[in-house]
Every structure is written in C-alpha cells, then in structure tokens.
C-alpha cells in the first residue's frame, strides 16, 4: 500500500459489489494530557481519507473519538463515518452537537459534522455491530486502537481474543503514541515468556508508532498459524 494511492481498497463479493475497506477505531472519549494523542487521531483520519477508507467508531463527539470522526467527515464527507453508541452513553460521550432527533426520536450528533450515528440498546450490540461492519469490509479492513482507557483496552483485547479463537481474520493494531501502549507490549512479551500466549500468537496484536504504519499493518496483516481452528456459527 503506497501513500499516493487514493483508490478504495475493495474486493468483489458474491453479488458482484465491491465492499469498501472499513477500519474500526477504538479510542478514548478524552483528549489526553499530551497534544500528541489528538494529533494522532487527526493524522489517522487524514491517512484513512487519502486511501478512501471508511471509519466505524463508538459514536461519541468528544475526545479522540470525536476528533477522528469529524476530521474524516471534513475531508471525505459524512458517508465515510458510522458511529455506533449505546443510548445510556449518549449523555456522557457527547458535546453540544448532539442536537438532531432521528426518526426513532433519538438524539444524535449532526450528520454533516460526525457522519451517520446509530443508537443501540447496549454495549454488546455496539461492539457486535462495529465488528460486523469490519468483517464485511474489503481488504485491509481491521481494528486500530488509539490511546484510551478501560473501554478501549477491553475492546482491543476482545477483538484480539476473537481472532485467536478463529472468529475473524482481520488485523488488530495498537497505534502507540509516545509509548502509551508500551506496557501492553511488555505484558505480551511476558505472557509469551511464561507460556500463557503462544509465541506465534504474539503478533495477533501488532503495533505501529504512526498512523500510516497502522493502516499499512492492517493491509499487510498475516493470520497467525497458532490460532484455534474452530467452527463458529453466527455468535
């Protein structure tokens, strides 16, 4: 994948359509103490816009969540972004732009600023819908973890676990800004050393220090030979 390519990454599905590449970004609803975190969110959006990659995210309008969404919408338009948020979180992960009432009488952010927003009933539905959009996306679709807190970590590790269990084969990449995820990288080394993670499975979760590198890591992602070869239904 080269930076001068602006063509959407896609492949033919059974109906002859060409699914667009979709990246789900997990990240915090806070800005972080260092300005580098917000700049990383903006840079990731710029890289995705350049490659015509769509964003799936948690639907908030504050912190890193809001920054990556509105930056991408400003470049590629509202159809490039889909936010999915549980109804209970709306009042916490929003700013004054949550002013639109949709056809279900739910309050959502301005579509022209943050893209399309779907309000769901719970966290499980949110995570399931976000993942399913990625699974249905074109080549290079996957998951990127920007800086964040407990929720971001939980989403990253659940998606990584699903990969290890053979539920999906999409890449997961930590965008490691100013060493933010160094502790997780060190834990992976320790877990492998102690026999709790197979050495070959350490790279189920990859890392990059740049937005461009993270997007490239998803495009070049190789499924580990050590994942479980299980048969899953529609769980």
């Amino acid at each position: 994948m080269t930076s001068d390519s602006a063509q959407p990454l896609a492949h033919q599905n059974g109906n002859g359509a060409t699914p667009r590449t979709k990246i789900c970004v997990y990240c915090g609803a806070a800005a972080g103490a260092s300005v580098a975190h917000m700049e990383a969110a903006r840079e990731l959006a710029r890289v995705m816009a350049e490659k015509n990659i769509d964003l799936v995210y948690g639907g908030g309008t504050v912190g890193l969540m809001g920054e990556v969404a509105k930056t991408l919408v400003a470049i590629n338009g509202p159809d490039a972004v889909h936010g999915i948020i549980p109804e209970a979180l709306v009042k916490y992960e929003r700013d004054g732009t949550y002013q639109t009432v949709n056809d279900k009488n739910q309050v959502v952010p301005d579509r022209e600023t943050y893209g399309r927003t779907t309000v769901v009933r719970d966290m499980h539905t949110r995570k399931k819908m976000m993942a399913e959009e990625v699974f249905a996306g074109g080549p290079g679709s996957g998951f990127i973890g920007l800086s964040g807190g407990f929720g971001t970590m939980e989403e990253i590790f659940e998606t990584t676990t699903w990969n290890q269990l053979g539920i999906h084969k999409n890449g997961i990449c930590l965008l490691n800004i100013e060493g933010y995820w160094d502790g997780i990288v060190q834990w992976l080394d320790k877990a492998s050393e102690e026999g709790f993670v197979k050495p070959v499975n350490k790279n189920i979760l990859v890392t990059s220090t740049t937005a461009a590198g993270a997007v490239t890591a998803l495009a070049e992602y190789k499924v580990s030979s050590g994942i479980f070869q299980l048969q899953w239904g529609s769980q």
Side-chain angles (χ1 to χ4, degrees):
M1 182 188 299
T2 58
S3 61
D4 60 354
S5 172
Q7 295 302 311
L9 301 170
H11 68 281
Q12 294 278 324
N13 64 19
N15 298 320
T18 54
R20 293 177 60 81
T21 298
K22 298 193 176 186
I23 291 178
C24 176
V25 176
Y26 299 134
C27 58
S34 171
V35 297
H37 300 297
M38 289 287 271
E39 177 52 35
R42 289 189 287 268
E43 180 60 18
L44 178 57
R46 289 191 287 262
V47 171
M48 290 174 63
E50 182 182 13
K51 307 235 178 241
N52 266 333
I53 297 172
D54 292 343
L55 169 69
V56 183
Y57 84 113
T61 60
V62 292
L64 304 189
M65 295 174 71
E67 200 68 18
V68 67
K70 70 182 181 182
T71 303
L72 184 53
V73 169
I75 302 170
N76 276 11
D79 290 339
V81 175
H82 184 196
I84 302 170
I85 189 168
E87 190 167 10
L89 278 180
V90 166
K91 63 181 179 180
Y92 294 105
E93 295 182 349
R94 71 175 183 179
D95 57 13
T97 61
Y98 261 80
Q99 300 293 334
T100 305
V101 179
N102 65 15
D103 57 3
K104 296 181 180 179
N105 203 36
Q106 297 166 326
V107 180
V108 295
D110 177 39
R111 185 179 185 277
E112 296 304 312
T113 304
Y114 291 99
R116 179 166 59 100
T117 301
T118 299
V119 180
V120 296
R121 67 181 183 274
D122 54 39
M123 290 291 287
H124 177 75
T125 304
R126 176 203 225 178
K127 292 187 291 183
K128 183 174 184 288
M129 286 183 65
M130 290 165 73
E132 285 175 342
E133 286 213 27
V134 172
F135 300 161
S141 296
F143 305 85
I144 290 177
L146 280 166
S147 307
F150 291 131
T152 302
M153 287 181 61
E154 187 270 338
E155 290 167 327
I156 290 166
F157 276 110
E158 183 170 40
T159 306
T160 302
T161 302
W162 289 348
N163 185 298
Q164 180 179 251
L165 292 173
I167 294 173
H168 74 90
K169 296 182 179 180
N170 297 86
I172 311 108
C173 182
L174 293 174
L175 182 43
N176 194 11
I177 303 304
E178 294 187 338
Y180 186 81
W181 294 117
D182 283 356
I184 299 301
V185 175
Q186 292 165 6
W187 169 81
L188 274 171
D189 289 337
K190 187 65 174 177
S192 177
E193 178 185 316
E194 294 289 339
F196 291 103
V197 173
K198 295 177 183 178
V200 71
N201 281 349
K202 277 203 309 179
N203 287 331
I204 289 176
L205 180 61
V206 300
T207 64
S208 175
T209 58
T210 67
V215 172
T216 297
L218 297 187
E220 298 178 351
Y221 186 80
K222 299 292 189 294
V223 179
S224 169
S225 61
I227 66 171
F228 290 95
Q229 303 298 321
L230 304 175
Q231 298 297 317
W232 294 90
S234 57
Q235 298 93 323

